[in-house]
Structure formats: C-alpha cells, structure tokens
Amino acid sequence: MDILSAREARSHHIQRVMTAFPNKTCVVLKLNMVGPDKNPKAFQWIITYYHIQLQTQFNSHIIRHSYHESVDGNYFLYIVKRDPKLVKDHMVALEDDSALGRLIDIDVYHQHPLTRKRPRQCIICDDLAHHCVRSQAHSVEDVRSIMTSIMHNALTAYMTHITIESMIEEVNLYPCFGLVSNKDAGCHKDMNSDTFLASIRALKPFIKAYLEEDDSKKLKAIGLNAEKAMFEATEGINTHKGLIFLLGIFLPVLKQAIVSGHSIAHFHNNLTTLANSIVGDYYNNLKLPQTAGDRSYIDYQTKGVRGIALDGFDVVLNQPPFNTDYDRLLYFMANIDDTTIIHKTSYETLKRVKKEIKALIEQGGYPHNHARYNALSNTYKKAGISPGGSADLWVISRLFETFKPYLKREHI
C-alpha cells in the first residue's frame, strides 16, 4: 500500500508540473527495480550517473530539476524546453544504449505520457517485459541477481574506462615540465609517449582486476603482475610503477564506496586501512634500499607513493577545484614530496621546485601566468626535473573528481 500511495503521489506531482508548465516537456528519471525495495543502496549511483547524462545532453534546455525521495523509487524530475517527441527519442536511446539502461526508467510527459514505439524486452528472456511481469515468469530473486550482475559489470567497465582515459590525458598534457607528453619526451632519454601508451594498453586488464577484488594479498599479487606486464610492454622501462601501486588501493576502495554509499570520510578511513594492510611494516624492516623511493626514505624520511596511501590520499581528497588541468599538476607539485624529482635531481631541487610552484599558484596559477608557467616548464625540462609522482596523482585526482558525486550523493 505504501508503494501504491507513493506511485499515486508521484503521478499527482507530474500532473501539477504539466499544469504549471503546459508548453514544456516533463521528464522523470528513476530506478527500474523489482521487489519491495525500490531504492537498494548499491544501485543508487546509477541515478546519479543518468542524471549527469541528462544534464550533459540537454544542458541549457533544462529549465529546472528537482530530486524527490519515494518508497516507489527516488526520482529526478526535469522541466525541459525541447520538443517532447525529440526528448522521448533521446531518452529511449539512453535506456537502450547499454545493459545498464535496463535498470532505469526515463518517462517523458507532455500533456500525457509519451509511449515507446518498441516495448522493452524481458531482462532474462526474449519475451516482452510486461508479459513476464504479468505472468510472473521469473522470480524476484532471479531478476534481482541479473540486475546486480549488470550493475557491477557496468560500474567496473565505467571505472576502467575513466582510469584509462585519465592515464592517456596525462600523457596529452603539454607543456608539463620534464614529463613525457605526446609533444616530446621531456627530460627523458629512454622513453616517449609511445612507451607510455604501450604501458597503458598492457595495464588495462589489471585495472579491471583491481576493481573486482578487495583482498589485500590478492591485490598485491595483481599489482606485481601488472608491474611485470608493464616492463614487458616497455622493454624494461618504468613508466607507471608508482601509479600501479596507487591504483591498487584507490580503485577497489572507491568502487566499494560507490556501491555502499559511503561518505568521503568513510572512504578515507577505508583507504587508510587497506594501505596499512598492504604496506604493513615495510619501513620498519627497510635496511638496504631497493628502489629510488627507498633511498629517499632513508636519506630524507619521504615515503613517496606509500606515504600518500598511508595518509588515506589526503592530498587528493582535500584538493581544491581546478580551473585547468595545468593547475591540477601545479597543485601536486607544490604539495607533495615528489621522489621522482629527488631521484633525478636532488632533495634541494625538490624544495626549490615546491617553493617556486607555490608562488605561481599564489599569483593565480596557470590562467594568469601562461608565460611564467611555460618558462618554468622549459627550465625544468632542461634541468632534468620530472615530477613523476605528481603526474601519478594527477591521474588519481581526475578519477576522484569524476566519481566524487557518487560518493557524496549530492542531488543538485
């Protein structure tokens, strides 16, 4: 009875909106769930995902939108100044674009509901969906199991895509001081953008594997195999070792936070917990340095990417909004002890770089200092200064920026 009452309340709401805006199109977005629970926590990110899609697609054509809680399924309601038939065609295309679209309903109204030209098929069999619903051809448990599988597979695919995209966009950033880009090799003699792209292609299956695992020992094994695949693809050149470590902690915890509806504070705590489980007593037992990062710790007590992870990625979770991706890079150069800079130059150089970059940020960052940014970039490149640790965090930062709305559950 509660669900029926909520359904009726939503219908009255839509009628009021159509009366108030008779010449506009009304769109309602909600989950398409079977069973008594119409708002399962693990599926809520899907509403946010399609809300972002609608905003992107209609942009300034949306006069207003609002979010409403309901036991029949929380929903967004939009008022759109576009032809209703055109809007309906776009919404059907969104629903039919992927398997994830089966888990939502996007209804379009203009004086009355606009119907689909082709009814939806059942999520399990080839029959029409409304036939299976009426005949109860499939159990709620079986349908929900299929829905859960679709949800997890879609989220894994989406997060893998954004991760790979972010890694490629980092290579496309130019000017970028001594880093490798698609324009030149920066201050590096042994690698170029092709080396990085080969590494990214090799790492894709391991990124997906990170997202499908939560056990720390298995995650460490995935990371070691990812390093091996990277070195094979690059003929022994280290392009992404630090990022492989960071992603192995950040990605699985991020996915769990999205599915569980965790707050950013909860997300931070879980990052710290997994990082401690993976790093363990590494620094307590460090006697002979095996890597440049180890030497930096012994000489200067800088923990590099391990320290970033042990701090729960504080520098990322507390990042400011960025005007440009150049400012994103500047932020990390100014705020972390980049062990790549130490390794390629010196600790004194790192301190000078952080001071100069902080001054540039205080003067307005890249938008107000193009010439100064470009001059520093060229100077650092000639001096062999390559902020590799900052580049790794640039990728993590872009990931966090993309998925932050799914954590906060902000329905703006």
Side-chain angles (χ1 to χ4, degrees):
M1 291 302 297
D2 288 341
I3 289 176
L4 291 175
S5 296
R7 195 168 298 167
E8 185 176 351
R10 185 176 68 250
S11 178
H12 289 322
H13 183 194
I14 294 166
Q15 289 295 330
R16 291 196 302 272
V17 169
M18 286 194 292
T19 300
F21 298 89
N23 299 318
K24 301 298 186 290
T25 302
C26 176
V27 179
V28 176
L29 163 67
K30 64 183 290 293
L31 286 174
N32 177 21
M33 288 284 111
V34 298
D37 183 5
K38 302 299 183 181
N39 293 299
K41 183 180 292 185
F43 291 76
Q44 289 303 304
W45 71 269
I46 301 172
I47 290 287
T48 303
Y49 175 82
Y50 280 101
H51 170 57
I52 293 171
Q53 302 302 306
L54 263 69
Q55 286 187 308
T56 301
Q57 192 164 114
F58 290 115
N59 199 4
S60 60
H61 296 288
I62 298 176
I63 298 174
R64 66 177 64 177
H65 72 270
S66 54
Y67 179 76
H68 306 270
E69 295 185 351
S70 170
V71 295
D72 186 41
N74 300 340
Y75 63 96
F76 277 103
L77 190 147
Y78 310 83
I79 302 165
V80 185
K81 53 178 180 180
R82 293 297 300 272
D83 177 77
K85 292 182 180 179
L86 175 66
V87 173
K88 182 63 178 180
D89 288 343
H90 278 291
M91 296 304 94
V92 170
L94 263 184
E95 289 179 339
D96 293 347
D97 182 56
S98 68
L100 190 64
R102 300 304 310 276
L103 308 187
I104 58 162
D105 280 326
I106 312 179
D107 296 323
V108 179
Y109 302 84
H110 181 72
Q111 299 176 2
H112 56 78
L114 276 68
T115 58
R116 274 174 157 262
K117 295 177 183 177
R118 296 175 57 189
R120 280 179 154 185
Q121 287 183 301
C122 172
I123 200 169
I124 292 181
C125 69
D126 293 330
D127 200 355
L128 296 179
H130 65 268
H131 288 171
C132 291
V133 170
R134 289 173 181 172
S135 65
Q136 297 183 339
H138 314 291
S139 70
V140 170
E141 291 75 16
D142 287 345
V143 177
R144 184 61 72 90
S145 176
I146 295 292
M147 288 180 163
T148 300
S149 178
I150 290 173
M151 181 273 292
H152 278 288
N153 290 341
L155 184 54
T156 295
Y158 181 36
M159 294 182 72
T160 299
H161 168 74
I162 296 298
T163 304
I164 294 296
E165 180 183 74
S166 298
M167 294 170 74
I168 293 172
E169 286 302 315
E170 188 274 316
V171 180
N172 288 335
L173 190 70
Y174 182 88
C176 54
F177 307 95
L179 294 168
V180 170
S181 75
N182 63 356
K183 300 293 185 181
D184 62 39
C187 66
H188 299 270
K189 307 296 184 184
D190 59 344
M191 63 181 80
N192 55 34
S193 60
D194 288 339
T195 317
F196 271 76
L197 294 176
S199 176
I200 292 169
R201 286 192 294 270
L203 293 176
K204 184 174 181 178
F206 301 97
I207 290 168
K208 182 175 182 290
Y210 277 151
L211 289 162
E212 295 174 339
E213 188 54 70
D214 58 10
D215 179 80
S216 61
K217 290 183 179 179
K218 292 180 180 179
L219 287 168
K220 287 177 71 172
I222 292 169
L224 292 173
N225 288 329
E227 284 185 18
K228 181 180 178 182
M230 174 195 71
F231 284 125
E232 289 177 355
T234 63
E235 299 181 356
I237 297 170
N238 175 13
T239 50
H240 291 107
K241 188 173 181 179
L243 184 58
I244 288 170
F245 172 81
L246 292 172
L247 290 173
I249 295 172
F250 196 80
L251 284 176
V253 180
L254 178 59
K255 183 183 178 185
Q256 184 58 43
I258 292 170
V259 171
S260 301
H262 288 161
S263 66
I264 291 179
H266 196 156
F267 175 48
H268 173 269
N269 291 338
N270 286 350
L271 285 170
T272 304
T273 299
L274 180 58
N276 275 285
S277 177
I278 288 177
V279 176
D281 56 358
Y282 181 86
Y283 290 106
N284 295 332
N285 297 324
L286 183 59
K287 305 299 181 185
L288 296 174
Q290 302 296 316
T291 67
D294 291 348
R295 286 190 290 274
S296 292
Y297 176 72
I298 290 174
D299 293 340
Y300 310 109
Q301 288 70 58
T302 59
K303 294 184 178 181
V305 292
R306 289 188 181 89
I308 296 292
L310 289 169
D311 287 338
F313 292 80
D314 278 339
V315 70
V316 174
L317 271 56
N318 293 312
Q319 68 187 24
F322 299 111
N323 292 317
T324 70
D325 278 330
Y326 301 109
D327 292 293
R328 189 189 307 277
L329 181 59
L330 291 175
Y331 168 76
F332 291 110
M333 290 177 68
N335 286 284
I336 71 165
D337 289 331
D338 196 320
T339 55
T340 306
I341 294 178
I342 299 174
H343 170 59
K344 292 187 70 66
T345 56
S346 68
Y347 186 66
E348 291 303 314
T349 299
L350 170 66
K351 291 195 292 184
R352 174 172 62 83
V353 166
K354 291 177 72 173
K355 183 178 179 180
E356 291 175 345
I357 297 300
K358 284 179 180 177
L360 185 62
I361 293 172
E362 289 169 359
Q363 293 163 9
Y366 179 79
H368 299 281
N369 298 275
H370 288 191
R372 175 64 176 154
Y373 179 100
N374 293 340
L376 269 180
S377 178
N378 193 48
T379 298
Y380 288 6
K381 180 165 58 178
K382 290 179 180 179
I385 299 171
S386 180
S390 298
D392 292 339
L393 286 168
W394 189 98
V395 175
I396 300 295
S397 165
R398 198 172 183 272
L399 273 169
F400 179 62
E401 186 175 81
T402 300
F403 291 102
K404 186 177 178 180
Y406 303 96
L407 295 179
K408 297 180 74 175
R409 294 288 194 264
E410 285 185 347
H411 301 294
I412 301 172

